[in-house]
Amino acid sequence: MSSLRRRKPINESSDSKHKAEEEDEDHDDVDADGDDDVNGKNKKTPSKIKKKRGEKPPKQPKWSCMDTCCWFIGCICITWWLLLFLYNAMPASFPQYVTEAITGPLPDPPGVKLKKEGLEAKHPVVFVPGIVTGGLELWEGRECAEGLFRKRLWGGTFGEVYKRPLCWVEHMSLDNETGLDPCGIRVRPVSGLVAADYFAPGYFVWAVLIANLARIGYEDKTMYMAAYDWRLSFQNTEVRDQTLSRIKSNIELLVATNGGRKVVVIPHSMGVLYFLHFMKWVEAPAPMGGGGGPDWCSKHIKAVVNIGGPFLGVPKAIAGLFSAEAKDIAVARALAPGFLDNDIFQFQTLQHVMRMSRTWDSTMSMIPRGGNTIWGGLDWSPEEGNSCAKKREKKNETQIADQAGSENAVCKAKSANYGRIISFGKDVAEAPSSDIERIDFRGAIKGHSAANTTCRDVWTEYHDMGFAGIKAVAEYKTYTADSLVDLLHFVAPKMMARGTAHFSYGVADNLDDPKYKHYKYWSNPLETRLPNAPDMEIYSLYGVGLPTERAYVYKLSPHAECSIPFKIDTSADDEDTCLRDGVYSVDGDETVPVLSAGFMCAKGWRGKTRFNPSGIRTYIREYNHLPPANLLEGRGTLSGAHVDIMGNFALIEDVIRIAAGASGEELGGDQVYSKIFNWSENINLQLDEEIPVHSSS
């Protein structure tokens, strides 16, 4: 008993000691977590009591809303590719069997049809892709781009967009001062026909046309893809990559190896402007030009077949540079208010897009050219009286002359002021010019920076304007083509300093002025002459029948200081004036208005003019848009949309006939559905060499 009595205190002390040690451990854990109150007492929480001594909490991965969105896009792409794989894995006859069961027998592709007629390959063909349709691959990059050597950053699968978006933006951007490669980064154009045959798996650009040309005998040695880095200014493609010299050499080689037959050049979209630049460069003396002499084009080019050419620019380019949006983006913002502008989750997509695209000098080649003379002023526009809904029928040259008496009476009563390309508010867009009180922004003093330090990751030039500069832009109320260039100089001075060194936007008074020998004028058809090549032909092929952006209603953005301060007012609608979701529309191919695509061939170059002194023959071929009859038809064989038209059977047939030796007259001359000839006559542009140019009103 005595021994038991002696052991009991020992057990109690050991138990108490053990409990004390446990309490000390808990106390240490709490102290380590810094959970003592002001009186020194422990604030124990169940989660912290369970932590082991010395164990650190797991590091949470840094995740942003942009990552989530990019992964979501990746999932959509993977699903699309899987469905595409399953479609291609079917027996070749099965899709055709299903389609013919629904729609009836399919017509022969143009290449098969023309081969049956006996057409064969004759003139070598040169393709000139447009902006964004050519592939770009990485040759040198930063640490974040490890393992991407010669992988496509643009075109193809776009895998790097959603796996490492900010790294991709960094490598796709150019230097904001020079417009060339940033230090330590080299992105170069993909070469060969694969450079622009498909933009992404299943989404063709040139592939259908190439395949149909192959059916009449064309092959790699008679076709050449003039790939270039579409981000650069046109002259800088020669400075950095010698691309213009390569095009010259390849055309000379094609002519020499094909029995002296001249080439047929087929530019698309911005490639039209790029090839205009090339034709002046190749004849200009070195070092600024290629030194080919004044008859180089006459010796080497049979025809230039322009597809969807923005000869006079596109208003859509203004929206992209001004607010990083166009109609589609504006509608998406309206459906999900604040989502694309939200800075809380570091999304800032539009800011990243703006910062990147403003380093691409090529985008400035598509700013509207010709000023108010071409695009209209506050109270007039060439397309005045345009109707949004009208039936189309093919017109021959006799019917074109009778178009003037067929104006729509309703649209005459209430017509859109298309000359006001940007208006702040629907009331301003519709008001008489005498009722608009404007405060000139050009001399406005920009205020203090509106952005705080959290915006630095996506710093845009708007953050340097401050609230005073932003207010000055809005108080000018409405902008015509003449004032748009000044507007861009005000909101994006670095971008426009580079842009105006490489591109021009006016109308020449005297083309003999020595200043027009500079390369900045070579891609502007209103400030340069066509080559001396009377046997050459120029075609303008483009789609019509689709609403195409022409003017915009803007408003100040109510969002936080890191956002883009201006956006399209999607609440502005008026069916009578073709206004929908804040965008005024006219006839075109969804990207290029008819006026820009057709004016030069309809009037500016037609016959012998000061812009076409040798009288090169010009033709307009329009293709009325018809949507696919069913889902199995894909993007349609009768589409007039800007890119989808590359699969239009009628257009492909025309191109093949020209390549096989047909002239414009043999093709049938002009094929017109729009009012391009009427609208061209509304433009008071003097075409005689001796008479100076005057603006119209």
Side-chain angles (χ1 to χ4, degrees), residues 287-471:
M288 187 181 295
D295 59 349
W296 190 94
C297 292
S298 179
K299 289 179 178 179
H300 294 89
I301 301 175
K302 184 256 184 187
V304 183
V305 185
N306 302 292
I307 301 176
F311 290 101
L312 304 178
V314 289
K316 196 172 186 175
I318 294 295
L321 294 171
F322 186 55
S323 60
E325 62 180 346
K327 183 176 181 179
D328 296 339
I329 298 296
V331 172
R333 293 173 92 173
L335 294 175
F339 181 67
L340 289 178
D341 307 290
N342 201 327
D343 296 333
I344 297 176
F345 300 107
Q346 301 176 354
F347 191 81
Q348 301 170 329
T349 303
L350 293 181
Q351 290 93 317
H352 283 293
V353 169
M354 173 174 282
R355 187 179 66 170
M356 177 176 67
S357 62
R358 282 189 177 183
T359 67
W360 299 345
D361 289 352
S362 61
T363 59
M364 288 172 278
S365 71
M366 293 188 290
I367 292 173
R369 290 171 156 144
N372 290 11
T373 300
I374 299 294
W375 296 94
L378 289 177
D379 296 313
W380 82 281
S381 67
E383 308 100 325
E384 189 171 353
N386 174 62
S387 174
C388 301
K390 52 189 174 184
K391 295 182 180 179
R392 300 181 174 280
E393 55 184 33
K394 181 178 175 181
K395 304 178 181 68
N396 57 32
E397 294 180 359
T398 304
Q399 290 171 314
I400 291 167
D402 298 329
Q403 279 183 332
S406 61
E407 296 290 338
N408 186 290
V410 175
C411 286
K412 274 188 171 182
K414 188 177 182 182
S415 178
N417 295 315
Y418 290 121
R420 306 178 190 184
I421 297 179
I422 286 181
S423 300
F424 279 88
K426 183 185 174 190
D427 55 335
V428 173
E430 297 176 344
S433 58
S434 58
D435 294 344
I436 302 174
E437 297 181 4
R438 306 161 79 191
I439 300 175
D440 201 335
F441 66 94
R442 294 176 179 88
I445 299 175
K446 298 179 181 180
H448 296 293
S449 174
N452 57 35
T453 56
T454 63
C455 303
R456 291 285 175 177
D457 290 340
V458 283
W459 193 256
T460 68
E461 292 180 87
Y462 279 127
H463 300 132
D464 296 325
M465 289 177 58
F467 293 120
I470 292 169
K471 183 180 178 183

Side-chain angles (χ1 to χ4, degrees), residues 633-688:
E633 197 178 331
R635 289 156 63 193
T637 59
L638 297 172
S639 176
H642 187 62
V643 177
D644 292 356
I645 198 173
M646 302 292 282
N648 185 299
F649 276 14
L651 179 141
I652 293 173
E653 182 175 332
D654 284 347
V655 171
I656 293 177
R657 290 188 184 278
I658 295 168
S663 67
E665 293 299 325
E666 292 170 335
L667 217 61
D670 296 319
Q671 174 180 279
V672 178
Y673 298 94
S674 72
K675 294 182 179 180
I676 181 58
F677 285 99
N678 273 4
W679 293 343
S680 296
E681 287 305 313
N682 291 338
I683 296 174
N684 187 18
L685 177 67
Q686 295 294 338
L687 302 177
D688 186 83

